[in-house]
Amino acid sequence: MEKVILTGDRPTGNLHVGHYVGSLKRRVELQNSGEYDKIFIMIADAQALTDNADNPEKVRQNIMQVALDYLSCGIDPNKSIIFIQSQVPELCELSFYYMNLVTVSRLQRNPTVKSEIQMRNFETSIPVGFFTYPISQASDITAFKATTVPVGEDQLPMIEQTKEIVRRFNMIYEDTLIEPEALLPDNKACLRLPGTDGKAKMSKSLNNCIYLSDSSEDVKRGIMSMYTDPNHIRVEDPGQVEGNCVFTYLDAFCKPEHFGKYLPDYQSLQELKDHYTRGGLGDVKIKKFLIKIMEEELEPIRARRKGYEENIEFVYQMLKEGSEKARAVAAETLKDVKKAMKINYFEDGEFLEEQISRYRK
Ligand code: TRP
């Protein structure tokens, strides 16, 4: 069986380092591993509109922003197909049929949808489109016969929902769709990187994000203001590592070789943590270490972004061609789906023959 990746992001803002460690970095590794036959990366504008219906300009402006984020992280358009969800109308058609396979109560139980409804204060005025987006996400995944969906932990309920739809479809109709598997980051700190203020969620409105497009100065400022241990007041005080943002980020970004390069007094992150816990290690020192590590990771991304920003026509063309390629693949799947559902009346001569013999007297 072919190994196919599909994943994507809603274009509602610049991507930040949480997206990077949680999924972008992994995508680039998977892309370069050569283990996958096809890789699709989708800019989920239609999904973004499910809770931004009144803000089309925001979605429009973030298409290019997210495309630049992808390319600057090392997604290579020669190896991965980057496309825009709304330009593949076959996805809507699939969703319409999948809707028959999902109950309202099943959607109501989806933990991600539940918490997102709360977060957005929808209360009783939930847009139907938003409520049903797990179904549309199942279309995104199955349209490309994806076997692997690299995502953050928050997306697991979506993959679960997709699997259920696939099983139901294959059982009722014909074996047509592929059951996908989620692929989570293997580093626990990368599952959900907190904001610089220590809050669980990074969000623009909280002003606690480090963006991939941030300048060197912005990154420094963000790290220097990071939440650490509020009881670690003097350098000599014992400090707490758990819940300390700097250490969470170090868990996500630090590699053994960084010590030799930037902090030769220590051999490992554990040794650094032990010293902090005992007392005698100041916040500024660990923050400066983190700045060096993050700069090492972010600087090449910035440089690549600059190159692409100077060549927006190329990015535009890449998105257009990617969307065309994706559409062709989704159209094939839709054909299979319609055949399995017996609504392929004009695809072959079968329907005509069947009806002729039925009505022939
Ligand atoms: N829900 C994802 C997010 O909020 C975006 C997305 C849409 C997606 N369709 C998908 C992710 C299909 C993986 C597979 O980031």
Side-chain angles (χ1 to χ4, degrees):
M1 192 169 70
E2 273 199 319
K3 288 179 82 178
V4 181
I5 286 180
L6 177 118
T7 185
D9 303 276
R10 294 181 198 173
T12 50
N14 302 358
L15 301 183
H16 50 60
V17 291
H19 294 113
Y20 180 69
V21 293
S23 91
L24 289 172
K25 195 175 172 175
R26 187 70 173 284
R27 289 182 205 173
V28 175
E29 287 163 11
L30 293 168
Q31 167 194 275
N32 297 335
S33 74
E35 273 183 44
Y36 290 87
D37 301 295
K38 288 191 203 119
I39 301 175
F40 296 94
I41 302 184
M42 180 181 75
I43 303 180
D45 62 337
Q47 189 176 104
L49 285 166
T50 64
D51 66 330
N52 284 285
D54 52 0
N55 209 348
E57 194 58 29
K58 170 166 132 190
V59 175
R60 180 182 175 89
Q61 294 313 321
N62 280 305
I63 298 280
M64 195 52 87
Q65 199 47 266
V66 170
L68 287 168
D69 281 325
Y70 286 164
L71 294 168
S72 55
C73 285
I75 300 287
D76 175 353
N78 294 312
K79 297 181 183 158
S80 302
I81 296 176
I82 302 177
F83 72 98
I84 305 175
Q85 188 182 29
S86 64
Q87 303 309 298
V88 183
E90 286 75 7
L91 298 174
C92 302
E93 220 175 315
L94 286 174
S95 299
F96 192 67
Y97 298 122
Y98 294 170
M99 281 186 184
N100 304 332
L101 308 177
V102 181
T103 63
V104 171
S105 67
R106 175 63 182 86
L107 286 173
Q108 279 167 336
R109 268 185 281 127
N110 184 310
T112 306
V113 175
K114 255 191 189 163
S115 75
E116 285 179 332
I117 286 171
Q118 260 181 0
M119 248 161 50
R120 285 165 179 72
N121 294 321
F122 280 148
E123 283 159 32
T124 53
S125 47
I126 306 160
V128 174
F130 181 82
F131 182 61
T132 57
Y133 93 74
I135 302 177
S136 128
Q137 197 153 333
S139 305
D140 303 336
I141 295 169
T142 55
F144 300 93
K145 300 209 154 77
T147 51
T148 311
V149 187
V151 281
E153 204 176 25
D154 63 316
Q155 295 295 306
L156 285 178
M158 303 301 156
I159 314 293
E160 210 34 64
Q161 179 73 79
T162 304
K163 288 184 182 198
E164 283 176 32
I165 291 175
V166 169
R167 283 187 216 126
R168 239 175 109 65
F169 187 99
N170 288 348
M171 190 181 68
I172 298 174
Y173 306 110
E174 256 173 60
D175 219 347
T176 309
L177 303 174
I178 306 285
E179 245 187 79
E181 292 302 328
L183 190 63
L184 294 177
D186 37 21
N187 179 340
K188 245 187 104 209
C190 297
L191 280 178
R192 210 177 234 305
L193 205 62
T196 51
D197 55 358
K199 293 220 170 70
K201 195 154 170 65
M202 264 196 241
S203 99
K204 193 182 204 117
S205 52
L206 293 173
N207 195 19
N208 63 357
C209 302
I210 297 177
Y211 292 102
L212 291 170
S213 50
D214 275 355
S215 68
S216 191
E217 289 66 43
D218 292 335
V219 173
K220 275 184 201 142
R221 203 174 315 120
I223 296 177
M224 290 313 286
S225 71
M226 241 179 205
Y227 179 84
T228 57
D229 170 2
N231 299 317
H232 184 246
I233 296 160
R234 286 161 309 173
V235 175
E236 317 81 81
D237 293 339
Q240 199 168 344
V241 167
E242 292 81 50
N244 183 320
C245 242
V246 177
F247 282 102
T248 311
Y249 276 60
L250 283 172
D251 279 330
F253 285 95
C254 181
K255 286 182 270 185
E257 64 261 30
H258 289 140
F259 289 95
K261 256 198 218 162
Y262 303 127
L263 203 62
D265 294 349
Y266 300 83
Q267 305 275 324
S268 70
L269 192 50
Q270 195 51 54
E271 203 184 312
L272 194 70
K273 286 180 180 174
D274 289 344
H275 192 180
Y276 193 83
T277 312
R278 269 199 320 275
L281 176 58
D283 282 354
V284 171
K285 192 163 177 176
I286 53 169
K287 284 179 172 175
K288 287 198 164 152
F289 181 47
L290 179 61
I291 288 172
K292 292 205 175 99
I293 293 173
M294 294 211 30
E295 276 298 291
E296 180 181 312
E297 191 98 23
L298 295 177
E299 188 45 41
I301 296 178
R302 250 178 239 132
R304 247 180 270 135
R305 171 185 288 268
K306 194 156 175 290
Y308 285 115
E309 280 180 352
E310 283 160 10
N311 202 352
I312 291 297
E313 294 89 342
F314 167 84
V315 185
Y316 171 85
Q317 198 58 33
M318 179 279 299
L319 285 171
K320 185 160 176 270
E321 284 167 20
S323 300
E324 284 160 8
K325 287 183 204 156
R327 189 168 182 193
V329 176
E332 279 304 308
T333 304
L334 181 62
K335 221 187 225 180
D336 298 344
V337 161
K338 289 173 92 170
K339 182 167 188 294
M341 294 180 69
K342 300 185 178 294
I343 53 174
N344 61 333
Y345 314 112
F346 307 125
E347 279 294 318
D348 54 30
E350 229 179 290
F351 178 65
L352 178 60
E353 258 171 57
E354 182 188 295
Q355 299 303 315
I356 289 175
S357 65
R358 179 175 166 206
Y359 288 103
R360 190 177 294 146
K361 294 274 149 52

